[in-house]
Amino acid sequence: DAGVTQSPTHLIKTRGQQVTLRCSPKSGHDTVSWYQQALGQGPQFIFQYYEEEERQRGNFPDRFSGHQFPNYSSELNVNALLLGDSALYLCASSHPGTGSHEQFFGPGTRLTVL
Amino acid sequence: AQSVTQLGSHVSVSEGALVLLRCNYSSSVPPYLFWYVQYPNQGLQLLLKYTTGATLVKGINGFEAEFKKSETSFHLTKPSAHMSDAAEYFCAVRRENNAGKSTFGDGTTLTVKP
């Protein structure tokens, strides 16, 4: 089992550009959550996807959007990038339907906005 | 709303000494509580979790934590620190029926001196 995988590992963009980050959940998991971790801070919840729909959203602007595919993989899109969007973006997967309470985290994508 | 406060952004101990990382939470409903460890340039790894039942929970690498409802605390301890324990530690809280969204503290950096 490869666990949660994310791509790319690192990404450098300039202000105003758009970026897409990708996540493949752990085998058997159907729920994907995205978090933003700024330098020196804890992860902040962006949103959660289940059954290809956004189910919950944190305090992030509409520039942050996502998608979940039928195979449960997910994308995070950020438009009109700002310097403040520079962070580690973490994907986490879970399968609440099994009664498991654990989220498994991927290694993250490091986004740098210049 | 839920929140997590980790007291002490930096903790330094000598190898072999007791490790104590403090976490206090705020939650309007019975919480699920988690401790994660993050090594440089990596994602989050679950150390241990409290959901229901025994309030003293044991995790990986010799760590344990005790849920104290009256003190709204979930402090992480390890009797004897190893050099390999040097990392960033995050406490997180989640609602029982919300597997996709965790609220994290700002983290504590643990340094282990030889």
Side-chain angles (χ1 to χ4, degrees):
Chain A
D1 182 4
V4 180
T5 60
Q6 293 185 243
S7 63
T9 305
H10 295 86
L11 205 52
I12 298 176
K13 292 286 188 178
T14 57
R15 282 177 295 175
Q17 285 189 311
Q18 178 266 342
V19 68
T20 297
L21 311 181
R22 296 175 175 81
C23 170
S24 291
K26 182 178 171 65
S27 178
H29 285 188
D30 57 7
T31 300
V32 173
S33 300
W34 287 92
Y35 292 83
Q36 180 195 66
Q37 186 180 14
L39 197 62
Q41 297 182 21
Q44 300 291 317
F45 176 76
I46 303 175
F47 43 52
Q48 173 198 17
Y49 275 84
Y50 172 68
E51 292 187 333
E52 302 180 47
E53 290 188 12
E54 182 182 297
R55 299 292 178 169
Q56 296 185 85
R57 189 178 185 90
N59 188 26
F60 280 81
D62 292 345
R63 297 187 298 108
F64 289 77
S65 63
H67 189 78
Q68 186 179 34
F69 299 93
N71 67 353
Y72 308 123
S73 66
S74 177
E75 289 181 348
L76 164 65
N77 301 292
V78 187
N79 294 323
L81 285 167
L82 304 174
L83 295 179
D85 294 332
S86 295
L88 180 68
Y89 288 85
L90 296 167
C91 171
S93 72
S94 57
H95 191 168
T98 63
S100 171
H101 308 294
E102 186 175 346
Q103 282 185 307
F104 288 79
F105 284 82
T109 294
R110 174 74 61 185
L111 172 65
T112 301
V113 182
L114 302 176
Chain B
Q2 299 178 308
S3 66
V4 175
T5 301
Q6 292 185 237
L7 300 175
S9 58
H10 292 83
V11 170
S12 181
V13 301
S14 297
E15 192 174 19
L18 171 71
V19 175
L20 171 60
L21 304 182
R22 300 179 187 273
C23 172
N24 287 89
Y25 69 91
S26 173
S27 178
S28 57
V29 297
Y32 285 179
L33 295 158
F34 304 82
W35 274 100
Y36 292 88
V37 61
Q38 186 177 37
Y39 296 99
N41 300 313
Q42 294 188 26
L44 302 176
Q45 180 184 9
L46 181 69
L47 281 176
L48 49 79
K49 62 183 178 184
Y50 169 78
T51 54
T52 58
T55 56
L56 180 63
V57 293
K58 297 184 184 299
I60 62 172
N61 301 338
F63 285 94
E64 62 181 39
E66 185 171 11
F67 170 58
K68 292 187 176 180
K69 184 178 179 180
S70 62
E71 298 178 8
T72 60
S73 69
F74 191 57
H75 301 330
L76 181 71
T77 61
K78 182 174 180 177
S80 176
H82 293 174
M83 297 297 293
S84 60
D85 294 328
E88 186 87 13
Y89 291 80
F90 292 95
C91 180
V93 63
R94 178 159 65 73
R95 287 175 175 261
E96 176 180 352
N97 60 349
N98 192 340
K101 178 183 179 181
S102 296
T103 300
F104 288 82
D106 283 337
T108 297
T109 301
L110 176 65
T111 302
V112 182
K113 299 174 293 186

